[in-house]
Amino acid sequence: MLLVLGSGCGSNQSITSPVTDPAREIDTLWWAMFAVGMVIFGIVLGLLVLAYVRRRRATDHDRAERMSYAVILGGGMVAPVIVLAVLFAFVIRVMPAVSAPKPGATSLTVEVTGHQWYWEVRYPGTDAVTANEIHLPARTRVRIVARTADVIHSFWAPRLNRKIDMIPGRSNSIELDVPKVGTYRGQCSEFCGVGHAEMAFRVIVQPPDAFRTWLDHQAQPAETPSGGQALAGQQQFMSASCQDCHTIRGTPADGRVGPDLTHIGSRRTLAALTIPNTSRNLFQWITNPQWWKPGSRMPGFASLPVSARRALVAYLEGLH
Ligand code: CUA
């Protein structure tokens, strides 16, 4: 039992292993609330046991009635008011640490837009557009601007900061300032339809130099396919309906329904972290995406000949 409970903690997506100051504040608040909750639970259990043990010994009914009023007033009104006031003060103390950054306080802005069911990531001032893998420079104050293209989603990387909702017609923002290079998992935390569980993301924090190199590369248009199979794949992509939904910068494909695929070969996962980005998985994804991710707006292409699907894989894999 403890093992099952414990397995939820300490993972790469746990508020109990914070890496930033705001996440540490939230962690402290969480433990404080948990401790208070445990103490109250203990007291209630103790009173229950006491009531059971003493149930036959109560002979003085007037005294018992006075006692029960005291318990109702004390335990039902006075104690909750005190406990909730103290916790409220604690929450007020944590709020400034997790509130939206002031204009001009950050040195990089990243726009993250929720879609059913993936994350579109843009770096204003550059042409770079990616999906589901959010690269950030370490030790840099980054403003994440959260929007949605459809329904309400919620952006949450528990080790980095609180949740921020993506509301239709609104821009919300949150600051991420991650001191440690590493990869941190995040997840949509507002139910947004059948693909909600398969709407995860990664925040990949790099040394600032490596991040610059990555960003410069992502801002470039797509590589020209090398090799006959990749070239055939490109033709297939442009003639099939792929290009109606996906953008590949530097080609005629400019669809905005699915993720930008300009540098899909450089990503580690497909379908918002549902599967690792391997040739085999990419082939199966093109063939039958509904098998991996029911409800996905990506149609299956099982009707295309195997050679055409292989060519598509060769083309897409080459887009580093
Ligand atoms: Cu997006 Cu849940």
Side-chain angles (χ1 to χ4, degrees), residues 6 12 19 30 41 141 153 182 195 214 234 247 252 265 276 290:
N12 200 16
V19 293
W30 188 87
F41 183 60
R141 295 183 69 177
H153 303 274
W214 174 85
Q234 189 187 36
T247 293
Q290 306 298 324

Side-chain angles (χ1 to χ4, degrees), residues 114-119 148 150-155 166 187-193 195-200:
H115 291 256
Q116 286 174 310
W117 290 277
Y118 73 96
W119 311 86
T148 173
D150 38 54
V151 300
I152 303 177
H153 303 274
S154 186
F155 176 93
M166 299 170 144
Q187 166 78 43
C188 181
S189 55
E190 178 72 46
F191 180 72
C192 54
H196 165 69
E198 284 100 16
M199 188 169 170

Side-chain angles (χ1 to χ4, degrees), residues 9-63:
C9 307
S11 75
N12 200 16
Q13 192 181 273
S14 169
I15 60 155
T16 59
S17 27
V19 293
T20 65
D21 289 340
R24 264 187 284 278
E25 296 273 353
I26 294 167
D27 179 49
T28 310
L29 176 63
W30 188 87
W31 281 110
M33 285 188 161
F34 182 68
V36 170
M38 281 294 111
V39 168
I40 294 171
F41 183 60
I43 292 172
V44 170
L45 270 189
L47 288 174
L48 259 177
V49 171
L50 198 69
Y52 179 77
V53 169
R54 299 186 59 176
R55 72 195 187 286
R56 288 179 207 283
R57 286 201 269 146
T59 45
D60 183 349
H61 287 284
D62 283 349
R63 190 168 162 265

